[in-house]
Amino acid sequence: MTRDLRTARTGAVLTFVLAGLLCGSMTVRIPALSDKLGLSEASIGVTLLVWGLGALVTMQSMRGVMARFGSRSILRVGAPLCAVTLALLAFAPTFPLLLVAAALFGMAFGAVDVAMNAQGSTVERAYGRPLMNGMHAGWCVGAISAGLIGTAAISAGLSSTSHLALVALASLPVLVFISRTYLPDPAIAGEATAKGRRRMPAVVYLLGVIAFCAFMVEGTVADWNGLYLRDTLGAPEAIAALGYPVFEAGMLLGRLTGDRVRARFGARGMIVTAGLSTAATFAVVLIAPTALIAVAAMLFVGVAVATVSPMAMSLAGSAVTNPGPAIAQTGAMGYAGLLLGPVIIGFLSDAATLRTALGIAVALGVLIALFARFLPRPGSVEAPEETSERELSMAA
């Protein structure tokens, strides 16, 4: 294992950490942004929608871009832009300008999300063993750090403008520095550009559906778990607020151990087990008689669902020679679930009850297991054409 390869792995993990930090910092200060500009809940909802649509639009257009330029070039531009656009969002003086900044931040984030997963796939191939879950654990570390830093900033009386600007200012030079560690994607020459425009193998779309289900579960927990604990189970605000951090802690635990489990048991069986476990643990959340039991169950929901989307990205990247376009396709489909899930839950809860609506997460877990049964057996997807370290160094 060469020093350059170890450095590339560290750089990829740090990219995930910083992406989680930047995105999480915006989420933490949404209430303060609302107070600063005097926004209603509807206006905040529009802001988040614009941010999500910006990310989704970029992801949908990334197949050809990834095939032409590769993850290294896109990260060298997109990652610093993420920090810059977060600063623009922090300084937005009016609601219309906030929407513009949110859209730009979302677009930059969408490019980075696809490119860092493609870079992770490239590093994973060079290592010759599973690494993607560990990289996604970096995202959890960044998101949790954003919450802790945000809490400290709020306690210290720091304004949202100062807080977000400082996070962006601190992240920018680090992102520029680690851009030198990225590996070139395999096969990003002219022939890859042509291939990037062709229809992907069917397995890439199947993995996109699996990612859609997993992201939809994650979005459901993020946006509706606290309300369910407070309004349905009668939890105090402080207890209800624990649901999502506990879920994230479970996600971190699952991803830190996921690569070793995958190396031993294989991705196909692991995704089936993860889907069934997600359904079972979320069912416990829904039938829990008290909020404390439901909060404890959220830890196991996080562990169960944590590895599904990283493995979907990894398998998509290994299904073709150049991982970028395939990961762009799978990522765009998955991210649509993150956006649509909370909206669907809202409509279903209006038609029935929130507990009934959240039952969709149980169904999604079952669907993940069912769809995973159609994945190719180990050896066809999990054993991509390997890129040697010599080839990577020559391409650099």
Side-chain angles (χ1 to χ4, degrees):
M1 199 65 63
T2 67
R3 180 179 178 182
D4 287 346
L5 194 50
R6 288 192 296 269
T7 301
R9 181 184 180 183
T10 301
V13 171
L14 285 176
T15 303
F16 275 86
V17 172
L18 289 169
L21 175 65
L22 292 170
C23 186
S25 296
M26 180 196 74
T27 303
V28 166
R29 296 316 298 258
I30 283 174
L33 288 171
S34 174
D35 293 341
K36 171 187 169 183
L37 299 178
L39 304 180
S40 65
E41 291 183 0
S43 297
I44 288 295
V46 170
T47 303
L48 293 175
L49 179 62
V50 166
W51 179 85
L53 289 176
L56 187 59
V57 166
T58 303
M59 288 179 173
Q60 291 286 2
S61 63
M62 285 296 289
R63 273 182 55 175
V65 177
M66 287 295 297
R68 182 175 179 84
F69 297 105
S71 62
R72 181 170 65 173
S73 297
I74 292 171
L75 283 174
R76 285 176 171 176
V77 176
L81 277 178
C82 259
V84 172
T85 51
L86 178 65
L88 291 178
L89 189 145
F91 285 104
T94 64
F95 179 55
L97 289 177
L98 179 68
L99 292 180
V100 173
L104 293 174
F105 183 42
M107 292 172 71
F109 171 77
V112 168
D113 189 87
V114 170
M116 71 182 180
N117 276 287
Q119 180 64 200
S121 179
T122 297
V123 174
E124 188 177 57
R125 285 188 184 202
Y127 262 78
R129 60 185 174 89
L131 296 175
M132 191 68 84
N133 280 301
M135 292 182 187
H136 279 254
W139 170 273
C140 294
V141 170
I144 292 170
S145 299
L148 296 175
I149 294 171
T151 299
I154 294 168
S155 300
L158 203 63
S159 69
S160 61
T161 301
S162 299
H163 171 207
L164 295 180
L166 286 172
V167 169
L169 186 63
S171 301
L172 182 59
V174 180
L175 289 167
V176 172
F177 177 77
I178 63 177
S179 68
R180 298 182 295 178
T181 69
Y182 299 139
L183 296 177
D185 292 357
I188 59 170
E191 74 175 275
T193 303
K195 289 180 180 178
R197 295 189 183 124
R198 297 176 189 168
R199 186 174 179 84
M200 289 288 164
V203 68
V204 172
Y205 295 96
L206 176 60
L207 290 164
V209 172
I210 291 172
F212 177 92
C213 294
F215 275 119
M216 193 167 176
V217 172
E218 294 180 31
T220 296
V221 173
D223 289 1
W224 290 100
N225 176 67
L227 199 63
Y228 169 73
L229 291 172
R230 189 191 69 181
D231 294 352
T232 302
L233 295 184
E237 196 75 33
I239 299 297
L242 286 176
Y244 186 62
V246 168
F247 172 76
E248 280 289 337
M251 292 266 286
L252 178 59
L253 179 62
R255 287 173 175 175
L256 286 174
T257 58
D259 290 325
R260 290 190 293 273
V261 176
R262 176 184 169 184
R264 182 168 183 178
F265 297 104
R268 184 175 181 271
M270 192 173 169
I271 294 176
V272 171
T273 303
L276 294 176
S277 300
T278 299
T281 52
F282 209 97
V284 173
V285 172
L286 296 180
I287 64 175
T290 67
L292 287 177
I293 294 175
V295 168
M298 288 310 307
L299 177 72
F300 297 99
V301 176
V303 172
V305 78
T307 58
V308 178
S309 55
M311 283 193 292
M313 298 289 188
S314 175
L315 292 177
S318 67
V320 294
T321 303
N322 180 12
I327 287 177
Q329 182 64 54
T330 298
M333 293 175 67
Y335 197 75
L338 194 65
L339 285 178
L340 294 177
V343 177
I344 293 172
I345 295 297
F347 282 118
L348 289 177
S349 63
D350 283 342
T353 65
L354 182 55
R355 175 177 272 148
T356 301
L358 290 176
I360 196 171
V362 177
L364 289 167
V366 174
L367 287 174
I368 289 171
L370 288 175
F371 288 131
R373 299 287 295 176
F374 294 98
L375 289 173
R377 294 285 179 180
S380 53
V381 174
E382 287 195 273
E385 179 183 341
E386 294 185 0
T387 303
S388 69
E389 295 176 31
R390 177 181 294 181
E391 288 172 329
L392 288 168
S393 61
M394 288 175 63

